[in-house]
């Protein structure tokens, strides 16, 4: 077995899916939807920031969420009203 440390997990999971990540367009739509659902009527991330978020997250939704959240925390601490690409932080801890 490829992951001997996780053998019990592999025995319980019937299907594995390899997810390549969202496209840039889908990532931008995903971010815009999340911001709208959170109650913000106008965008908070610039288009260039969304491109940078896509690069750092590889289009993986869980990573997009982490990058956005960490970037929003950092932007709030700096008093920013719009997040541009220079303000995007990594999802690394």
């Amino acid at each position: 077995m490829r992951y001997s440390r996780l053998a019990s997990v592999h025995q319980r999971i019937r299907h594995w899916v390899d997810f390549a990540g969202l496209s840039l367009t889908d990532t931008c739509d995903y971010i815009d939807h999340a911001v709208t659902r959170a109650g913000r009527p106008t965008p908070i991330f610039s288009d260039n920031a969304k491109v940078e978020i896509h690069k750092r997250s590889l289009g993986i939704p869980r990573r997009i969420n982490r990058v956005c959240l960490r970037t929003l925390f950092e932007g709030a601490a700096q008093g920013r009203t719009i997040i541009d690409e220079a303000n995007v932080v990594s999802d690394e801890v």
Side-chain angles (χ1 to χ4, degrees):
M1 176 167 277
R2 197 168 76 177
Y3 300 98
S4 59
R5 287 187 3 212
L6 301 175
S8 63
V9 172
H10 284 271
Q11 292 166 1
R12 289 171 177 82
I13 297 176
R14 197 170 284 235
H15 299 284
W16 288 93
V17 176
D18 225 0
F19 183 63
L22 301 175
S23 68
L24 174 58
T25 301
D26 289 340
T27 297
C28 293
D29 290 344
Y30 181 83
I31 293 168
D32 290 339
H33 175 75
V35 169
T36 301
R37 292 286 297 164
R40 176 137 175 140
T42 58
I44 191 166
F45 294 102
S46 71
D47 290 341
N48 289 336
K50 288 184 256 186
V51 170
E52 187 63 27
I53 291 165
H54 177 73
K55 286 180 191 174
R56 292 179 187 231
S57 68
L58 305 175
I60 298 169
R62 181 176 48 84
R63 293 184 74 184
I64 293 169
N65 294 342
R66 277 199 317 236
V67 172
C68 287
L69 185 60
R70 293 190 66 195
T71 299
L72 286 171
F73 283 153
E74 195 68 30
Q78 296 172 3
R80 300 197 182 278
T81 56
I82 298 293
I83 305 295
D84 61 24
E85 72 274 10
N87 306 118
V88 176
V89 297
S90 174
D91 76 330
E92 303 296 321
V93 177

